[in-house]
Amino acid sequence: MADRQRTPADIFVEILENNEPSALAWVTGGTKAPSLSGLVKFFDTPYGGTLIEAELFGIPDRLNVGSSGFYAMHIHENGDCGNDFQNTGGHFNHAGAEHPDHAGDLPPLFANQGYAWTSFYDKRFIIPQILGKSLVIHQMPDDFHTQPSGNSGEKIGCGVIRLTNHQDQQNL
């Protein structure tokens, strides 16, 4: 195993295990999922782009009416989770791409018994571009087809993407 070449996955695991995120979003649920909560972390990488780790609790169970087990996760253009998340605007889309190629179109969450964890790499944006935007969880999966936002249903969770305290102190 010592002769094996290190891959980006090896680097990503080290980043997740040994580094503080550069930014994060504390996600809370709204009226459709009041128990939903969790943390989405955003890490810089040596490859450009962003490494994202999400851990969420209290997601509506797939046995409940209207739940599928899969939930859309998007970055929206406005960092305002007020009015039961109706103030978040459209998907973050700094390149003007059509859905599903918006930079804010993220992989779906898969929840088991109300819990979801995922980690993935995305090279369509860097952290400074998403600061002050919102991370939104939708009640349905994104179909990656329907315009303009994938028919992903109501917004059930939201958090504003902010620099971590560690990053705030470094930038003083």
Side-chain angles (χ1 to χ4, degrees):
M1 189 85 157
D3 294 336
R4 182 177 73 84
Q5 290 282 2
R6 285 172 43 96
T7 69
D10 297 321
I11 304 298
F12 294 156
V13 168
E14 287 178 16
I15 290 170
L16 293 174
E17 289 180 345
N18 301 318
N19 292 289
E20 293 290 324
S22 297
L24 50 80
W26 288 100
V27 176
T28 58
T31 57
K32 298 287 182 185
S35 298
L36 193 152
S37 67
L39 184 61
V40 180
K41 301 175 186 176
F42 301 88
F43 298 85
D44 292 311
T45 77
Y47 306 106
T50 305
L51 181 62
I52 298 109
E53 179 185 39
E55 184 174 31
L56 297 152
F57 303 87
I59 297 172
D61 191 277
R62 69 186 179 112
L63 299 178
N64 292 339
V65 175
S67 297
S68 67
F70 288 95
Y71 301 84
M73 182 168 59
H74 299 133
I75 296 173
H76 284 245
E77 57 194 11
N78 300 331
D80 181 351
C81 292
N83 194 24
D84 210 24
F85 318 139
Q86 298 310 303
N87 299 341
T88 60
H91 292 178
F92 169 60
N93 187 17
H94 67 289
E98 285 204 21
H99 181 76
D101 295 320
H102 302 152
D105 292 325
L106 303 178
L109 289 172
F110 179 62
N112 287 286
Q113 297 177 320
Y115 175 78
W117 181 90
T118 190
S119 181
F120 57 94
Y121 171 66
D122 195 321
K123 198 162 182 168
R124 296 173 298 166
F125 58 84
I126 57 174
I127 292 171
Q129 293 173 312
I130 60 170
L131 291 174
K133 311 271 186 250
S134 57
L135 186 290
V136 174
I137 309 299
H138 293 265
Q139 78 180 70
M140 301 297 292
D142 188 320
D143 67 12
F144 297 105
H145 177 71
T146 306
Q147 298 298 324
S149 59
N151 197 27
S152 52
E154 293 188 50
K155 299 169 187 173
I156 61 171
C158 182
V160 177
I161 302 168
R162 303 182 189 282
L163 286 175
T164 61
N165 288 336
H166 173 73
Q167 292 296 315
D168 288 338
Q169 292 170 2
Q170 283 186 337
N171 292 329
L172 290 178

